[in-house]
Amino acid sequence: MGMDWNKLVSSRRLGREQDAGRPDARSEFLKDWDRIVYSSAFRRMQDKTQVFPLSDSDYVRTRLTHSIEVSSVGRSLGMLCGEFILQQPGAPDILPQDFGSIVAASCLAHDLGNPPFGHSGEDAIQSWFRDGGARYLDGLSQAEQADLRDFEGNAQGFRLITRLQNALDRGGFQLTYAVLSTFLKYPRGSVLADANGRLISEKKFNFFQHDAPTFERVASETGLIRKSNGSCARHPLAFLMEAADDICYGVVDLEDGHRVGRVSFREVEALLMPIAFDGAGSTSESYTQVHDNTGRVEYLRARAIGVLIHAVVEAFKTHYAALMAGTFESSLVDRCAFAPQLRAIAELSRAQIYSTPAVLQIEAAGFEILGGLLAKFVPALVQEPALRSSAHRKIVQIVPAQFAAGATRYQRLLGATDYVSGMTDSFALTLFRRLNGIEMPGSGF
């Protein structure tokens, strides 16, 4: 028995299940998009690394611009697939644009849990708890220890949107269950019996043990299929959120790489031309009229994204039965007509964009910065208040109260990672310098 769209698109809200809300021209899913846009967590992404940490360029993308672009692609994917879904048996009584709004909102939130300095920030937090901070995990359950040793930005994102963005702990943003369920790329916890790393839904995890009850509510409300090992199958629309991210990572990072001089125009043209012109072997008149290389790259990027959107929609239609049965375990871009071209782009990006000396140097510094911050905050927060040293008390006073209020050691450790992972790149660097006496606050601080 497959999943039911009437449950998958639930417009009930976490923490406000009995409140139907005030009806207006906006759908409940579009309201979710608005809630995320106006949040402080979303604004902080303007100073969080996408590819180039602490970039001096005002052109290359941050997490904020990346998330907006992914949301735009996700909206198109959702609407186009929504038209197809509404033609199938058991279709819900909503509009194609409602599917678009669900995917767009989940895309907008997909990177909210990422710590400073990109994915190396996740590695830095993991490394600290596996090495210097390992002793603070004594006495925690296996799952609680794994939450910290294997710290995961996707799980932090789920925690943020369902808990941290509301001081009263009443469901965070109080988003609809449909959007929350679509957000779950990896519907499992940090410890999973018989985890299969080859399955795309089990490669990582999407909730910490502290947030397991919330995950259960989301999975139950939207009718996600339960697997025998304790995980769930993905929401079908989660594959569209992932595809939107994959498209933007592939094509847009290549554009940024060209803009900062890491990839030549000829390399970009050779990679994007077969996608942008769908293997036709010829270009359009509009393309030949663009005379500067920067403009040509922008043209190819825009056209390639449009072609890839329709290719992913076709892959969604082809694998629809498996998606609804919860047995599909691949990314849609890997099953679309341009998978070989996207793999070639990924290979070049790894070699010439993601592994440049400047990027690697700043990522290495990020290890020192985040590890250094955790080394300051964790010992102070886990210590019982009566036993804290004078230095520890000063550190605790620096930490916002919401991150220092945990009732158990595990919750206080999560408070430390909540605080550090929510920082921007610049704030983390500045705070590290100040706590280590490298610089002092100005007189107006």
Side-chain angles (χ1 to χ4, degrees), residues 135-182:
R135 64 186 183 278
Y136 297 106
L137 303 183
D138 291 345
L140 273 59
S141 70
Q142 180 187 8
E144 290 170 346
Q145 290 187 33
D147 287 349
L148 296 158
R149 281 200 308 266
D150 302 325
F151 177 87
E152 172 58 50
N154 288 285
Q156 186 66 31
F158 184 70
R159 177 174 175 80
L160 189 151
I161 63 177
T162 61
R163 180 190 295 271
L164 300 181
Q165 282 298 118
N166 188 322
L168 298 177
D169 192 15
R170 293 178 51 221
F173 285 126
Q174 298 184 332
L175 301 177
T176 61
Y177 281 103
V179 168
L180 291 174
S181 195
T182 300

Side-chain angles (χ1 to χ4, degrees), residues 393-416:
R393 287 196 294 273
K394 292 183 185 300
I395 291 294
V396 172
Q397 288 178 316
I398 292 171
V399 178
Q402 70 187 94
F403 302 121
T408 66
R409 171 183 285 254
Y410 168 63
Q411 291 174 13
R412 292 194 291 271
L413 288 169
L414 287 179

Side-chain angles (χ1 to χ4, degrees), residues 18-45:
Q18 306 309 316
D19 183 359
R22 182 181 300 172
D24 59 36
R26 297 176 302 161
S27 72
E28 293 303 312
F29 313 122
L30 185 55
K31 291 176 185 177
D32 285 351
W33 194 91
D34 293 342
R35 288 180 181 213
I36 296 165
V37 164
Y38 283 95
S39 70
S40 59
F42 184 72
R43 289 194 300 275
R44 284 196 298 273
M45 289 200 295

Side-chain angles (χ1 to χ4, degrees), residues 87-224:
Q87 298 170 6
Q88 309 308 307
D93 185 20
I94 63 173
L95 301 172
Q97 52 263 43
D98 292 326
F99 289 97
S101 294
I102 292 169
V103 180
S106 65
C107 288
L108 203 65
H110 84 282
D111 271 350
L112 285 179
N114 281 21
F117 307 108
H119 290 294
S120 71
E122 289 177 305
D123 295 339
I125 295 172
Q126 294 168 3
S127 295
W128 191 83
F129 278 108
R130 292 173 184 176
D131 299 324
R135 64 186 183 278
Y136 297 106
L137 303 183
D138 291 345
L140 273 59
S141 70
Q142 180 187 8
E144 290 170 346
Q145 290 187 33
D147 287 349
L148 296 158
R149 281 200 308 266
D150 302 325
F151 177 87
E152 172 58 50
N154 288 285
Q156 186 66 31
F158 184 70
R159 177 174 175 80
L160 189 151
I161 63 177
T162 61
R163 180 190 295 271
L164 300 181
Q165 282 298 118
N166 188 322
L168 298 177
D169 192 15
R170 293 178 51 221
F173 285 126
Q174 298 184 332
L175 301 177
T176 61
Y177 281 103
V179 168
L180 291 174
S181 195
T182 300
F183 177 85
L184 295 167
K185 278 174 65 176
Y186 310 103
R188 49 156 289 195
S190 59
V191 174
L192 183 66
D194 302 319
N196 187 343
R198 293 183 305 240
L199 301 181
I200 198 165
S201 64
E202 295 183 10
K203 283 185 175 181
K204 299 179 182 180
F205 65 97
N206 233 128
F207 63 90
F208 298 124
Q209 192 65 23
H210 192 213
D211 305 303
T214 304
F215 168 79
E216 289 299 325
R217 287 166 67 182
V218 173
S220 177
E221 174 72 19
T222 55
L224 298 185

